[in-house]
Amino acid sequence: MASPRMLIDEHGSVVGDGSTLPTTEVLVDGYRELVLARRLNDVASALVRQGRLAVYPSSHGQEACQVAAARVLADGDWLFPTYRDGAAIVARGVDPVEVLAMLRGDWHCGYDPTVSHVAPQATPLATQLLHAVGVAHAARLKGEPTVVMALCGDGATSEGDFHEALNFAAVFRAPVVFFVQNNKYAISVPLAHQTAAAALADKAVGYGMPGERVDGNDLAALTVVLGEAVDRARSGGGPTLVEADTYRIQAHTNADDPSRYRAEDEVAQWRERDPLLRLRAHLTGAGALDDEQEAAFAAAGERLAEHVRAGMNAVPVADPVELFAHVYATPTPQLAEQAAQLTAELQLEGTS
Ligand SMILES: Cc1ncc(C[n+]2csc(CCOP(=O)(O)OP(=O)(O)O)c2C)c(N)n1
Ligand SMILES: [Mg+2]
């Protein structure tokens, strides 16, 4: 298996002849999105420490994957994210306050998937891949040009659902891109204990679909590789498995202490491959990014952080009975009975 595709190296220099590099305009706008994604990670992590969020699985270090996954999609396409992909959902245009609703402990995912074309963030590993294939297959049967971007982690590739999703998608040529962010750990389990394969993208061969490795901290390469996979899916070429070589810089979640299972110098090495610093070095070196633009991007980041803080500090109004509203299009008699029982109990509580 070839080494991960890279277009801009960790010092910001162009690799090769640069003929496939996205335009400077696209890269500057991509950098703006990276700044916003990093700010989202920072503010959400701070809100956890303040007790305003129950949990936040940060994608710090993986922002290029997050931004690229959202940006290569067209308007009607679908995104199927995991719990670590909040920044991708925001890059897709969903209000970050809505994206964080579930992590605050709300019973719903915070946004309307039918409007945003973003599925709820999946916590049960790899289950979303099957749902993603279902949506892609349905679109193909209906003759719609929809492409589905299905995200998962390296650990999720060991799930049976991963196998079933890829196998079905390849056999039926579903227009789906399976995008694995290989951040080297599944909580404390390192990649070497997850798989004996030389690369996760190698698994594509067994399903009969193309497999690609890409530097997951290089927004330019991700944009090209994911873009090609989306184009292939849209033109009837079927699914692709893309593996991004990246790293989870922070803890799995706030409930995890990574110093118990990995060495600090490993983390330090990956900090030097930071996706923001790399693109920034490239753009400033090319004279395409000045202080004024940087200040404007940072200010946009502050506005996002302020909006998120205000949203999280507002006390949510939660109606417990609403829990039953969206389970079935037509509620079953049992659910209707439970809803009525809860309503009666809440009324009693209110009068006592
Ligand atoms: C089916 C299932 N099994 C176990 C878990 C517990 N769990 C939550 S996150 C996680 C690790 C997942 O690692 P990976 O797929 O690499 O994603 P990452 O967290 O690194 O983004 C595990 C085992 C789960 N959520 N779902
Ligand atoms: Mg992982």
Side-chain angles (χ1 to χ4, degrees):
M1 171 58 64
S3 54
R5 250 207 276 179
M6 181 197 281
L7 294 181
I8 298 175
D9 74 13
E10 51 202 270
H11 309 294
S13 305
V14 174
V15 179
D17 64 6
S19 59
T20 54
L21 210 59
T23 63
T24 304
E25 209 180 26
V26 165
L27 290 180
V28 170
D29 200 51
Y31 178 70
R32 179 186 63 80
E33 295 259 30
L34 290 184
V35 171
L36 295 180
R38 176 66 50 88
R39 197 68 192 89
L40 175 72
N41 279 325
D42 289 347
V43 72
S45 299
L47 284 162
V48 170
R49 289 192 290 274
Q50 291 163 16
R52 290 287 171 187
L53 272 177
V55 65
Y56 183 72
S58 174
S59 61
H60 186 117
Q62 299 175 222
E63 287 93 346
C65 295
Q66 297 283 299
V67 167
R71 283 173 67 97
V72 294
L73 297 177
D75 273 355
D77 292 344
W78 273 82
L79 180 70
F80 277 73
T82 76
Y83 50 85
R84 199 176 300 288
D85 301 317
I89 308 174
V90 173
R92 191 80 178 111
V94 180
D95 184 333
V97 172
E98 294 182 3
V99 175
L100 294 173
M102 186 186 74
L103 301 176
R104 179 158 67 166
D106 221 322
W107 59 264
H108 56 70
C109 77
Y111 47 86
D112 183 346
T114 61
V115 173
S116 59
H117 281 203
V118 178
Q121 289 183 264
T123 296
L125 302 177
T127 51
Q128 77 281 6
L129 304 181
L130 291 164
H131 307 156
V133 172
V135 168
H137 186 51
R140 184 161 183 260
L141 292 178
K142 287 194 270 182
E144 291 168 359
T146 313
V147 171
V148 179
M149 176 71 66
L151 307 181
C152 74
D154 45 295
T157 64
S158 296
E159 290 287 344
D161 284 357
F162 176 87
H163 164 72
E164 291 176 29
L166 270 75
N167 190 54
F168 188 101
V171 170
F172 292 96
R173 295 181 83 73
V176 55
V177 178
F178 298 101
F179 181 31
V180 180
Q181 290 169 76
N182 176 0
N183 64 6
K184 310 296 179 286
Y185 289 90
I187 314 184
S188 58
V189 178
L191 189 68
H193 289 186
Q194 193 68 249
T195 181
L200 294 172
D202 282 349
K203 293 175 186 249
V205 179
Y207 298 109
M209 68 173 80
E212 299 274 354
R213 289 177 83 197
V214 58
D215 187 315
N217 291 11
D218 176 0
L219 184 67
L222 283 158
T223 304
V224 169
V225 171
L226 289 173
E228 285 169 1
V230 166
D231 289 348
R232 186 180 303 123
R234 203 180 311 283
S235 60
T240 304
L241 173 61
V242 178
E243 173 191 2
D245 179 34
T246 187
Y247 194 78
R248 165 166 59 73
I249 293 288
Q250 295 180 336
H252 172 73
T253 66
N254 40 304
D256 170 46
D257 172 9
S259 70
R260 295 182 61 172
Y261 56 83
R262 65 185 191 183
E264 188 47 44
D265 58 344
E266 179 184 290
V267 184
Q269 275 175 24
W270 277 93
R271 278 189 195 283
E272 289 182 11
R273 302 182 60 187
D274 186 284
L276 274 80
L277 296 181
R278 178 187 305 207
L279 190 53
R280 183 172 178 269
H282 172 73
L283 292 172
T284 48
L289 186 68
D290 57 25
D291 290 351
E292 204 179 315
Q293 266 169 312
E294 285 237 61
F297 295 169
E302 280 321 300
R303 284 197 297 279
L304 178 138
E306 250 168 57
H307 173 67
V308 168
R309 276 194 299 268
M312 290 300 123
N313 284 328
V315 178
V317 183
D319 176 3
V321 182
E322 209 185 15
L323 188 64
F324 297 96
H326 306 293
V327 183
Y328 294 105
T330 311
T332 61
Q334 289 86 352
L335 277 185
E337 191 187 324
Q338 287 174 32
Q341 194 181 345
L342 182 61
T343 306
E345 282 175 13
L346 289 169
Q347 273 164 0
L348 265 183
E349 250 178 44
T351 54
S352 62

